[in-house]
Amino acid sequence: MKKINVMVVDDSAVVRQVVTGLLNKAPDIQVLHAVADPILAMERMKTVWPDVIVLDVEMPRMDGITFLRKIMAERPTPVVICSTLTAKAAKTTMEAMAAGAVSIITKPKLELKQFLNDSSDELVAAVRAAAVANVRRLAGRATPLQPVAKLTADAILPASDGRAMTQTTERVVAIGTSTGGTQALEVVLTSLPRVSPGIVIVQHMPEKFTAAFAERLNSVCEITVKEAQTGDRVAPGRALIAPGGKHMLLRRNGAQYFVEVMDGPLVNRHRPSVDVLFRSVAKCAGSNALGVIMTGMGDDGAAGLLEMRNAGAYTVAQDEASCVVYGMPKEAVKRGGVERTVTLEMIGREIVQQMNSFLA
């Protein structure tokens, strides 16, 4: 079995030591080098190029984002960001994701060694996902798995009873995505005109990172983008992103839609879960909704998208060629939940066309 060759770049000797030990315990992973900064990394990479890089952001001599951009420009390589979780670092890490990083592992400033040991499964899963990512898609546009039982959306809310309102004056677009989704969502949302249907989004992302991500999207989109709060109305020209570490559900008050943000167990090993959002949309919006499933590892959202389609919603999946990881869309297609498969660049147009046909 060919092993995944990893390079760890972090100025903390403790992080280098612990991460190297954890990754080397996995039978399919080996750490080639663990270095203190990007300058040393580039020297080592002249002889052996890694399959995956685990990268810190704030380092001496060259920061991680500059190094990431350089790598993506010269030789696109899967990168997992391992960053300290602070308000400032959240924005910095969003820049790294925009530059082409595949995923994020958060680390605290205190009790770092214990945290890394406790998060070994998450770290190994992130490296494995990065190793199979279509990183050239990320460069061109320059989840944490837990060792617990895999719950379904039943853990949060029951399945639809088929009594969703048959017609309203508003349309709801529900989008679910994971690995590669930060860049993919930017492509979709920046293509939408200011007058667009209300959008609800689950992007698998750690707690405290979604606010910075929403702010960044809001700065480049014609529509308004914000991190969701309970009671926020799903209104035309607005996209609501589920907060990291919370589930988001669609609710209805008369003919209007709003969201509820809530705690709860991991569903499909994720919180927020795409399946939870999609099931709530099937229950509350039915045929008034459009469901979109995009790039991501695993199967979260596949069951929920089928429920949406069975409730009368129009459903779309991102195609394999434009996905960073063709996991979630593939499973949704396999289960029969997808009505149409399109390229990433066509998803925005699909949303607009469906809105126009609904209003016609």
Side-chain angles (χ1 to χ4, degrees), residues 179-258:
T179 307
T182 53
Q183 291 80 15
L185 281 171
E186 182 171 341
V187 171
V188 173
L189 297 185
T190 55
S191 72
L192 296 178
R194 182 177 56 83
V195 180
S196 296
I199 302 172
V200 286
I201 300 167
V202 164
Q203 159 71 53
H204 294 157
M205 187 173 281
E207 186 179 357
K208 298 185 181 180
F209 281 80
T210 41
F213 178 51
E215 288 175 9
R216 182 180 178 282
L217 287 177
N218 188 61
S219 70
V220 297
C221 295
E222 289 191 35
I223 64 173
T224 299
V225 184
K226 73 181 293 285
E227 184 184 57
Q229 295 178 303
T230 294
D232 280 344
R233 187 183 164 202
V234 182
R238 169 189 261 191
L240 301 173
I241 299 178
K246 302 282 187 179
H247 290 299
M248 182 172 73
L249 288 73
L250 185 72
R251 300 297 194 189
R252 190 183 72 220
N253 183 7
Q256 294 184 344
Y257 301 106
F258 65 97

Side-chain angles (χ1 to χ4, degrees), residues 176-179 202 204 270 274 293-302 317 325-333 338:
T177 185
S178 186
T179 307
V202 164
H204 294 157
H270 292 285
V274 181
I293 192 162
M294 292 165 49
T295 177
M297 182 179 180
D299 62 359
D300 189 29
V325 177
Y326 188 58
M328 289 160 53
K330 179 180 181 180
E331 188 62 27
V333 170
V338 176

Side-chain angles (χ1 to χ4, degrees), residues 13 21 48 56-58 64 72-73 94 99 109 123 151 204 212 224 255 258 267 273-274 278 286 302 313 322 346:
V48 181
D56 190 15
V57 173
E58 298 178 336
M72 288 300 168
M94 287 304 100
K109 288 184 175 180
L123 179 61
L151 301 179
H204 294 157
T224 299
F258 65 97
V267 172
S273 163
V274 181
F278 281 1
S322 64
M346 288 293 295

Side-chain angles (χ1 to χ4, degrees), residues 77-100:
T77 303
V79 173
V80 174
I81 294 294
C82 192
S83 174
T84 302
L85 188 60
T86 65
K88 178 181 178 181
K91 293 183 179 180
T92 302
T93 304
M94 287 304 100
E95 292 180 30
M97 295 293 284

Side-chain angles (χ1 to χ4, degrees), residues 43-54:
E43 286 297 318
R44 299 291 177 87
M45 291 163 70
K46 289 178 181 178
T47 55
V48 181
W49 200 277
D51 298 317
V52 177
I53 299 172
V54 177

